[in-house]
Amino acid sequence: MKKKQLETYCEKTWCPGCTNFAILEAVKGAVLELEKEGVKRETLAFTVGIGCHAKMFDYLNLNSFYGLHGRALPLAQGIKLANPKLRVFSFVGDGDVYDEGISHLIHAAKRNADIAVFVHDNRNFALTVSQFTATSPKGFKGSSTPRGSVEEPFNPLELMMVSGATFIARGYALRVEHLKDLIKKAILHKGFSFLEILQPCITFFDNRQFYQERIYELKGPFSKAKAEEKIREWDYRNGKNKIPIGLFYKVEKPSFDELVG
Ligand SMILES: Cc1ncc(C[n+]2csc(CCOP(=O)(O)OP(=O)(O)O)c2C)c(N)n1
């Protein structure tokens, strides 16, 4: 398959310079490589929430389903149960999956649903012009918190570890090759794959410099104890610590569709 065949006729309406363009490139690269390795495009399907991230539906020519806000994951799990031969993944936003649809995220991880979740974490509700989310830093100034958010963010990787995710990784939108590898690994993993993608929002929260000064690549996966230590190295609050990216944790366990078979 040629890269062009993964494109659609839709005009791209992301902001100029949006880091979603980089994520889309990484995804296309991953799909092309998977196809070379024998994974046919017909066997891939994805769902999206609502938001800037969700336009992946408009721009990526694969089997797909546009969900409701926060509801991409039940859709993905339904598709997987109906046709277990498919490899199913979801593109979701931080507002989408850490706020509106957080219960679906926790339960999909808990039951080890065989889907991959790609979180475009720009640390705000971007499409609706910048309300704070669960990963916005304290003091974040947006349209719902003009004087600065008073809440501390949480660390979604920590939440995924206690919820039972069997694949936990973090990538950076602007390290496209590295991200492409993580996306491939997440799609190939049998079980619940969680990939948090740190994504500067050029329009509402441009933290490129912050990330670029702190991000470094891990050589994981690690044991559970070591993965937990690495996951806590940066807790989304502390501006001083380095930020590890890569695969933290991976373990094989029966997936939900196998168990209910
Ligand atoms: C139930 C519901 N509430 C609110 C909205 C309005 N809404 C549409 S997009 C959006 C923001 C999406 O933010 P996020 O999930 O972080 O994705 P991003 O746009 O940042 O990629 C909101 C609040 C909606 N569509 N449905």
Side-chain angles (χ1 to χ4, degrees), residues 171-236:
Y172 181 47
L174 298 177
R175 290 216 189 169
V176 176
E177 275 298 302
H178 184 257
L179 182 61
K180 179 197 73 189
D181 285 343
L182 291 176
I183 291 170
K184 253 179 83 179
K185 286 192 178 111
I187 292 175
L188 290 173
H189 175 69
K190 179 82 192 146
F192 187 79
S193 308
F194 173 79
L195 173 58
E196 151 91 344
I197 305 172
L198 296 177
Q199 178 194 30
C201 175
I202 302 303
T203 303
F204 296 118
F205 191 41
D206 186 358
N207 50 2
R208 276 176 292 180
Q209 198 181 340
F210 177 86
Y211 285 147
Q212 270 146 21
E213 283 167 2
R214 289 165 181 77
I215 277 173
Y216 76 96
E217 290 174 22
L218 288 171
K219 301 235 177 319
F222 305 106
S223 67
K224 193 163 188 220
K226 181 80 178 166
E228 281 170 347
E229 188 192 313
K230 284 286 168 197
I231 282 171
R232 290 199 193 106
E233 189 170 325
W234 180 57
D235 65 3
Y236 290 70

Side-chain angles (χ1 to χ4, degrees), residues 20 50-54 68-69 92-97 100 120 122 124-128 131 133 199:
N20 274 316
I50 299 284
C52 302
H53 65 274
L68 295 176
H69 208 2
V92 293
D94 49 312
D96 198 50
V97 85
E100 304 210 17
H120 298 217
N122 53 20
N124 77 112
F125 282 96
L127 191 73
T128 41
Q131 293 77 24
T133 69
Q199 178 194 30

Side-chain angles (χ1 to χ4, degrees), residues 62-188:
L62 290 174
N63 299 315
S64 45
F65 202 114
Y66 223 125
L68 295 176
H69 208 2
R71 304 295 181 268
L73 304 193
L75 266 176
Q77 292 171 76
I79 292 170
K80 180 73 195 179
L81 284 179
N83 186 351
K85 288 192 189 126
L86 293 178
R87 293 177 193 271
V88 188
F89 44 97
S90 302
F91 299 102
V92 293
D94 49 312
D96 198 50
V97 85
Y98 301 150
D99 291 285
E100 304 210 17
I102 190 165
S103 58
H104 293 298
L105 178 69
I106 293 168
H107 285 271
K110 175 181 170 289
R111 64 174 71 100
N112 197 27
D114 185 18
I115 60 171
V117 178
F118 305 130
V119 187
H120 298 217
D121 189 356
N122 53 20
R123 308 177 76 183
N124 77 112
F125 282 96
L127 191 73
T128 41
V129 299
S130 196
Q131 293 77 24
F132 83 110
T133 69
T135 49
S136 301
K138 189 173 181 184
F140 174 82
K141 286 194 176 153
S143 54
S144 62
T145 52
R147 286 182 286 166
S149 163
V150 295
E151 295 185 28
E152 298 272 13
F154 69 43
N155 179 342
L157 283 79
E158 233 179 322
L159 176 70
M160 286 295 90
M161 185 59 106
V162 295
S163 302
T166 51
F167 178 109
I168 302 176
R170 181 194 283 135
Y172 181 47
L174 298 177
R175 290 216 189 169
V176 176
E177 275 298 302
H178 184 257
L179 182 61
K180 179 197 73 189
D181 285 343
L182 291 176
I183 291 170
K184 253 179 83 179
K185 286 192 178 111
I187 292 175
L188 290 173

